[in-house]
Amino acid sequence: MLNIGICTRERPKMLAELLESLCISIAQAGETVEIILIENGPPTGAKDVAESFADRLNISYHNEPRLGLVYARNAVVTQFLAGESEWIALVDDDEVVAPDWLSVFLQARADFPDADLLVGPTLKIYDPSAPRILRAARPKFHPHGHKVFRSGTNNCLMRREIFDDGEKLHLFDLAYNLTGGEDFDFFRRIRLRGYTCRYFKSALTYEHVPESRQSLRFQFSKIGHQAHCSGIVTINHMGRFAGSLFVLREILRDVTKGVVFGLIGVFILVVSEQRGLRLLARAWVAVASAIGRPRVFWSRPSESYATVQGQ
């Protein structure tokens, strides 16, 4: 038996779509699963959604009234540790999972017994009316089973020991409760403790991007915000001097990637429109990161998790 942890807030429609996809994936995997569902903030219908799946899914619903994603994530961990499962998968409420998502993770766990964390990519799905450069963008893929040191908690499978090693309880840091960056911080701490994280391209989830997020302006701001948060985490871990040097190196890398991918993308665009757009999308992401990352030196990230996009 394993757990699947989901944090949700004011997204009953998206939550229903995720649970519908989990019905298929869990049935295909043939695994006994208990879903831990945490509704953050005032209840707005997640319990009703969960009850509508009671005949197909084993869902344990809980409300975490303290607002913030870290409070919600830690509530998932607390409920997980109160049970007997040795593994928990985490997925976000604005995603759906591929039919073989859980099967891929379970097979990968068997094939790579040294892996303490298993992670997969999330593909963003935009409407046909969204800017073409957004629709062309793809996440960075790695070879099957490749060791990685940076990822998110929106598509992963983790051992129980990562949270409770018998000596200390390891939770997400409340310093990032409303700003984000808690998963980047968590993965840095996991790496320092010597745990192994492996990547599996076939463990796919899909994020259907709501209309409110489909503008270039919103996505540019979001990428910059994520870079800003990662810089804050880096300085908190490495110290002001060493962390600042590392952030400066990352800014230089972003600028270089923006120029190189931009120039190559313009050239390739003449030969292959799709490949050219993908390169230009990578350049666009690099530029957004290069603009957002320096903010670490004079400001704190905005509290992006104080509001909710989607439904």
Side-chain angles (χ1 to χ4, degrees), residues 9-11 67 178 213 218 303-310:
R9 179 183 164 207
E10 299 178 24
R11 288 171 171 169
L67 197 62
L178 292 175
R213 297 183 180 184
F218 181 92
E303 295 185 341
S304 61
Y305 287 111
T307 59
V308 178
Q309 289 88 31

Side-chain angles (χ1 to χ4, degrees), residues 4-9 11-27 33 35-38 46 49-50 52-53 56-57 59 73 76 89-99 101-102 122 153-156 204-208 311:
I4 296 176
I6 303 169
C7 300
T8 189
R9 179 183 164 207
R11 288 171 171 169
K13 181 179 178 181
M14 288 180 164
L15 176 62
E17 292 172 350
L18 168 59
L19 294 178
E20 190 68 49
S21 71
L22 285 172
C23 288
I24 299 171
S25 192
I26 292 171
V33 173
I35 295 173
I36 300 171
L37 177 63
I38 303 295
V49 174
S52 71
F53 283 86
R56 291 185 286 168
L57 294 172
I59 302 176
R73 292 206 192 283
V76 167
L90 300 178
V91 62
D92 284 352
D93 67 344
D94 57 354
E95 300 173 345
V96 296
V97 304
W101 171 76
L102 187 55
T122 297
T153 52
N154 62 308
N155 180 14
C156 63
L204 282 170
T205 64
Y206 301 89
E207 177 189 346
H208 292 277
Q311 57 185 340

Side-chain angles (χ1 to χ4, degrees), residues 5-310:
I6 303 169
C7 300
T8 189
R9 179 183 164 207
E10 299 178 24
R11 288 171 171 169
K13 181 179 178 181
M14 288 180 164
L15 176 62
E17 292 172 350
L18 168 59
L19 294 178
E20 190 68 49
S21 71
L22 285 172
C23 288
I24 299 171
S25 192
I26 292 171
Q28 182 171 313
E31 180 78 3
T32 301
V33 173
E34 180 185 35
I35 295 173
I36 300 171
L37 177 63
I38 303 295
E39 183 173 21
N40 187 227
T44 57
K47 186 175 183 180
D48 293 337
V49 174
E51 290 176 348
S52 71
F53 283 86
D55 59 334
R56 291 185 286 168
L57 294 172
N58 179 15
I59 302 176
S60 174
Y61 168 87
H62 307 271
N63 177 242
E64 171 50 74
R66 294 171 295 181
L67 197 62
L69 185 56
V70 173
Y71 280 124
R73 292 206 192 283
N74 286 342
V76 167
V77 174
T78 300
Q79 294 299 324
F80 167 55
L81 295 178
E84 298 181 354
S85 296
E86 291 298 321
W87 291 84
I88 184 169
L90 300 178
V91 62
D92 284 352
D93 67 344
D94 57 354
E95 300 173 345
V96 296
V97 304
D100 62 348
W101 171 76
L102 187 55
S103 298
V104 169
F105 268 148
L106 294 179
Q107 186 60 54
R109 185 180 66 179
D111 293 342
F112 295 86
D114 70 320
D116 304 294
L117 293 88
L118 301 85
V119 299
T122 297
L123 300 182
K124 293 186 177 183
I125 308 299
Y126 291 94
D127 293 338
S129 59
R132 294 169 66 194
I133 195 168
L134 293 181
R135 290 185 280 126
R138 292 291 183 273
K140 182 179 180 180
F141 293 119
H142 303 281
H144 183 78
H146 183 73
K147 286 186 179 181
V148 294
F149 303 104
R150 291 187 182 185
S151 189
T153 52
N154 62 308
N155 180 14
C156 63
L157 180 65
M158 300 188 188
R159 288 186 191 273
R160 183 187 191 92
E161 184 183 343
I162 287 173
F163 300 103
D164 182 6
D165 59 14
E167 297 181 1
K168 183 180 178 181
L169 185 63
H170 300 271
L171 299 175
F172 293 92
D173 193 334
L174 283 169
Y176 310 104
N177 186 45
L178 292 175
T179 62
E182 80 293 337
D183 47 359
F184 183 62
D185 166 76
F186 194 72
F187 270 84
R188 285 189 69 99
R189 288 190 280 128
I190 288 171
R191 180 185 179 186
L192 291 173
R193 291 165 60 204
Y195 289 106
T196 298
C197 179
R198 293 190 180 274
Y199 173 93
F200 301 93
K201 180 180 177 180
S202 299
L204 282 170
T205 64
Y206 301 89
E207 177 189 346
H208 292 277
V209 182
E211 186 177 355
S212 60
R213 297 183 180 184
Q214 294 198 20
S215 69
L216 286 173
R217 180 178 180 179
F218 181 92
Q219 290 298 327
F220 195 88
S221 176
K222 181 180 178 180
I223 294 165
H225 176 79
Q226 290 171 339
H228 187 182
C229 289
S230 71
I232 293 289
V233 172
T234 297
I235 289 176
N236 287 344
H237 276 265
M238 300 179 66
R240 172 59 62 175
F241 182 72
S244 296
L245 290 179
F246 187 90
V247 169
L248 288 172
R249 191 190 75 170
E250 292 287 281
I251 294 170
L252 179 60
R253 187 193 66 170
D254 290 335
V255 171
T256 302
K257 287 170 64 176
V259 172
V260 172
F261 286 133
L263 291 175
I264 297 176
V266 170
F267 176 77
I268 296 295
L269 196 64
V270 179
V271 181
S272 172
E273 182 180 37
Q274 189 65 22
R275 290 182 180 179
L277 282 173
R278 286 183 181 178
L279 287 168
L280 290 175
R282 293 181 68 179
W284 183 76
V285 169
V287 171
S289 297
I291 292 175
R293 211 179 298 276
R295 296 175 191 162
V296 70
F297 299 119
W298 64 77
S299 68
R300 285 192 53 79
S302 61
E303 295 185 341
S304 61
Y305 287 111
T307 59
V308 178
Q309 289 88 31

